[in-house]
Amino acid sequence: MSDYQVKTVPTKAFQDQRPGTSGLRKRVPVFQQEHYTENFIQSILSSIPGGPKDTTLVVGGDGRYYSNEVVQKIIQLSAGNGVKKLVIARDIIFSTPAISHEIRSRKATGGILLTASHNPGGPKADFGIKYNMDNGGPAPEAVTEAIFAHSKELTEYKLVDLPEVDLSQLGERQVGPISIEVIDAVKPYVAFLKTLFDFDAIKAYVHQPDVSVLFDGLSGVTGPYARDIFINELGLDESSIQGCEPSPDFNGGHPDPNLTYAHDLVKAVEEKQITFGAASDGDGDRNMIYGAGAFVTPSDSVAIIADWAESIPYFAKGGVKGLARSMPTSTALDRVAKAKGIEHFEVPTGWKFFGNLMDAGRLSICGEESFGTGSDHVREKDGLWAIVAWLNILAAADKKGIKGIKGVLQDHYSKYGRTFFSRYDYEEVDSDAANKVIKELSDLFASSDFVGSSPTATSSSTSFKVAEVGNFAYTDPIDHSVSKNQGHYVTFSDGSRFVVRLSGTGSQGATIRLYVEKYSQDSSEYGRDTQEGLKPLIEVALKLSKLVEQTGRKEPTVIT
Ligand code: G16
């Protein structure tokens, strides 16, 4: 008989463990309830296709508050469920894209990621758990629904009582019935990036006397990765990085790389007139690109990366097989796809929807308005990948006399026109009020005379003629699965549009997202302020959805 007994622990099921856009995200005290975290981990293990027995799982996260407790639970439950091996990052610090890469390069069964991404961390803030598949990507809806179904019916979970495992020491050891390998999670990922990009050209570019760089890790997981890339590989000075010490509560900040939450970076870039500024989020999958006087919207970012793909060795060698964006992301990418004759796709919000297309060899570059950009090098969006891609592009553009981020943006607009895009977030809205906003739009769409009508923005007397409306649904071209209710959209006859949907990543109440987009080929408009240009459209969107009346919110929480 083994020294290690598998213990069966009776539990009660929770009814609120449905994974959202990207895993289960709740406040820490929710995860701290007796059995809550164990139940969810058991539901994940029970839902692994083929079962948990003899599997190898990669485990890590952004190191946020409560991570160590949860990893110790994962070790015990994995041992109880017959998992053969866990590959865990030293001190748990493992960026989401690096986990994706590790799963793929080891041919592991899957991975458990501990992160609530860009949401704040700390004893009263957010925690999250998600499962990734053997392709390195987030579990598709069939699997997340299986996890949810398990969680609602669970009566017991299995574990082995084990002493706490020290995760600061590298190396492989046997802990009871399970093997634990603690790895350096930074080196393999940075070595991988070096195979994708022209690091020599980037190095030459960033050392030009008129070029300066500032990266902000927002105290999230990318700090050690950024240090290796910017300081060790590119030979830049310490002053080129900030916020690069991972902190369990992100130093009290909100690790979301946008104009609101990455204000320290924006301020420093403007004050010091830095050529290239960039930030990444808590778990390292999001990015923001910002040079002095030049903010790159994520929708433009993916379009520009696609347009300049040939300057990036990975694409120059392998070609660009297809392009894709999430539905609310602006149509800037579509214009590049059409111009280059490349297949392109519009998928629902959620990186998990890109995976099948990549696995089928039909998608190379994709992005989302929510500061996510990436490619088929892994199956997650990848903040540092996007940042290095931009440096690669800037180096190539510089050789053609196109200077800096501003130069690349102007060049793009003159070729393709400019797409103005903005997102208004109304966070922690009462759920009933949020549902009423959605219902308001559904009712409007059902009325026979809405399409063809011309709502007017009273402040400027601008009218928009309604051309098409709908609630976005998607049929996956590969496995033909159908995802409905993915966002209400109104498209106007001039090509502008707005979208309203409820976020699937909040941890409290509801978050309403309003996305607005307007396209212009009038070069006198290219230099225009985004919010100014979109004002009439936003007014019409708010009027039609009755958002202010239903929620009592006069202003959004965040504008990006
Ligand atoms: C996740 C998903 C993204 C999605 C974003 C926002 O990002 O991976 O695909 O665009 O959430 O989703 P929602 O609008 O439903 O809140 P992350 O960085 O939070 O993992």
Side-chain angles (χ1 to χ4, degrees), residues 194-362:
K194 285 178 68 184
T195 67
L196 310 177
F197 296 107
D198 188 346
F199 265 66
D200 290 337
I202 295 172
K203 199 167 179 177
Y205 173 69
V206 297
H207 284 282
Q208 286 183 23
D210 56 345
V211 173
S212 49
V213 172
L214 181 61
F215 170 81
D216 193 336
L218 300 178
S219 303
V221 76
T222 51
Y225 296 85
R227 177 170 292 282
D228 208 31
I229 294 169
F230 292 105
I231 312 294
N232 300 345
E233 296 294 343
L234 297 177
L236 288 167
D237 194 73
E238 274 291 324
S239 62
S240 67
I241 60 173
Q242 65 183 32
C244 280
E245 290 299 324
S247 145
D249 70 347
F250 308 105
N251 265 328
H254 199 130
D256 199 357
N258 58 41
L259 295 175
T260 304
Y261 294 123
H263 49 82
D264 284 357
L265 173 88
V266 172
K267 197 164 155 254
V269 166
E270 289 301 345
E271 269 170 21
K272 298 177 193 155
Q273 289 292 294
I274 287 167
T275 326
F276 182 80
S280 193
D281 71 333
D283 64 326
D285 56 2
R286 297 184 174 206
N287 77 92
M288 178 174 80
I289 307 294
Y290 187 97
F295 165 61
V296 184
T297 69
S299 296
D300 278 348
S301 180
V302 64
I304 289 168
I305 292 175
D307 197 35
W308 284 85
E310 269 179 24
S311 69
I312 296 172
Y314 178 72
F315 300 119
K317 207 164 125 216
V320 175
K321 293 158 203 142
L323 302 172
R325 60 172 173 83
S326 65
M327 184 272 281
T329 303
S330 96
T331 49
L333 182 67
D334 305 19
R335 282 180 270 283
V336 176
K338 278 181 200 138
K340 292 187 179 281
I342 302 172
E343 186 178 30
H344 68 286
F345 304 90
E346 182 183 44
V347 310
T349 295
W351 206 261
K352 59 191 171 205
F353 292 104
F354 294 125
N356 275 350
L357 292 166
M358 288 181 181
D359 289 346
R362 288 174 67 180

Side-chain angles (χ1 to χ4, degrees), residues 21 25 117-118 286 351 368 370 381 501 503-505 513:
T21 310
R25 290 185 190 168
S117 186
H118 53 288
R286 297 184 174 206
W351 206 261
E368 294 186 285
S370 55
K381 54 189 184 275
R501 62 177 280 280
S503 156
T505 56
R513 301 206 196 283

